Amino acid sequence: EAELAKNTDFALTLARCLPRVRVLGSSVTPLGGGFSRLTIDLRNDGFLPTNGTTQALTTASVRKAPKAELVLSDGLELVSGKARPELPHLSGRTRHAFAAPHPSGSSGPNTEEARLEWIVKGSGEATLSVDWQRAGTLSTSAAVDGTANPAAAL
């Protein structure tokens, strides 16, 4: 029973270290003329990076980048940005645990977060799906109202 408890504790500790990507925020900003800016911010709250390890990238046992895709419903048209945006792997809290202090006194560039932006025209629903391979998949949707008044967003 004591051996089982040690193994259980190890498994739970390991699970708490795994990458955990979440949607930090999303917004739809009307720009006028039926155009809107769609912004989605992602963050890895886990200890490990989304690629697992640097070695995984070196040996190509994980994709160099996650697969991301923006799907627009009928009534929406992509004007600016990519339907399959290039997204980097997100570091985890490991970079804080072993990194030397940044010269500015901060912890340096925030590589745990990524921002994606698009300009769309029309009304409908936009859905972003990301397959991190080692960190699972994430999907989020946003309603876009192309008839919204830009002044109301201020």
Side-chain angles (χ1 to χ4, degrees), residues 17-76:
C17 290
L18 295 174
R20 285 189 308 274
V21 182
R22 68 180 176 99
V23 176
L24 193 58
S26 65
S27 65
V28 177
T29 307
L31 302 174
F35 295 93
S36 300
R37 175 182 295 112
L38 171 62
T39 305
I40 298 177
D41 294 314
L42 305 173
R43 178 185 199 138
N44 178 11
D45 286 332
F47 188 75
L48 293 173
T50 56
N51 54 289
T53 65
T54 304
Q55 185 69 20
L57 289 172
T58 305
T59 61
S61 60
V62 67
R63 288 189 302 266
K64 292 203 179 294
K67 287 185 178 180
E69 183 174 17
L70 181 71
V71 177
L72 303 176
S73 69
D74 289 340
L76 276 179

Side-chain angles (χ1 to χ4, degrees), residues 25-27 37-42 68-70 82 84-88 113-118 128-130 132 138:
S26 65
S27 65
R37 175 182 295 112
L38 171 62
T39 305
I40 298 177
D41 294 314
L42 305 173
E69 183 174 17
L70 181 71
K82 296 180 179 180
R84 292 199 169 119
E86 295 173 11
L87 185 64
E113 297 178 6
R115 170 169 279 185
L116 298 168
E117 288 187 324
W118 301 269
L128 174 69
S129 298
V130 184
W132 299 93
L138 173 130

Side-chain angles (χ1 to χ4, degrees), residues 86-99:
E86 295 173 11
L87 185 64
H89 279 288
L90 303 179
S91 68
R93 291 175 290 137
T94 53
R95 90 177 177 94
H96 299 293
F98 305 109

